Amino acid sequence: RQMCIRDRYAAVQTLPQKYREVILLRFYQDLTAPEIAEILHQATGTIYHKLTRAQEMLKKRLERCDFGG
């Protein structure tokens, strides 16, 4: 399981910056989409879109890692 956690972080680091920054702010800093929008001076809808796209990209990068309990 520890290996998968490292793999998740490594996968985040491979994202393009515009996706990486919203993932880091949302899931590592525990900020909401409206808070991220304010920090980045972007529309909240844009942040939701970037989060969705980033999660899709991460899913593809991590599909071989078993995260089951």
Side-chain angles (χ1 to χ4, degrees), residues 11-25:
V12 169
Q13 296 305 310
T14 69
L15 294 173
Q17 183 179 348
K18 67 182 182 178
Y19 299 116
R20 184 173 62 242
E21 67 186 357
V22 294
I23 289 291
L24 292 174
L25 290 169

Side-chain angles (χ1 to χ4, degrees), residues 8 11-12 15 23 54-62:
R8 286 180 188 174
V12 169
L15 294 173
I23 289 291
Q55 289 172 329
E56 290 168 355
M57 294 168 80
L58 286 170
K59 183 178 177 183
K60 288 180 182 178
R61 286 166 166 76
L62 297 170

Side-chain angles (χ1 to χ4, degrees), residues 17-52 54-55:
Q17 183 179 348
K18 67 182 182 178
Y19 299 116
R20 184 173 62 242
E21 67 186 357
V22 294
I23 289 291
L24 292 174
L25 290 169
R26 176 66 187 102
F27 296 105
Y28 290 84
Q29 298 297 319
D30 201 29
L31 298 176
T32 65
E35 290 170 332
I36 297 167
E38 186 176 327
I39 289 167
L40 298 179
H41 306 288
Q42 296 178 5
T44 303
T46 300
I47 300 304
Y48 283 121
H49 174 77
K50 287 181 178 182
L51 285 168
T52 299
Q55 289 172 329

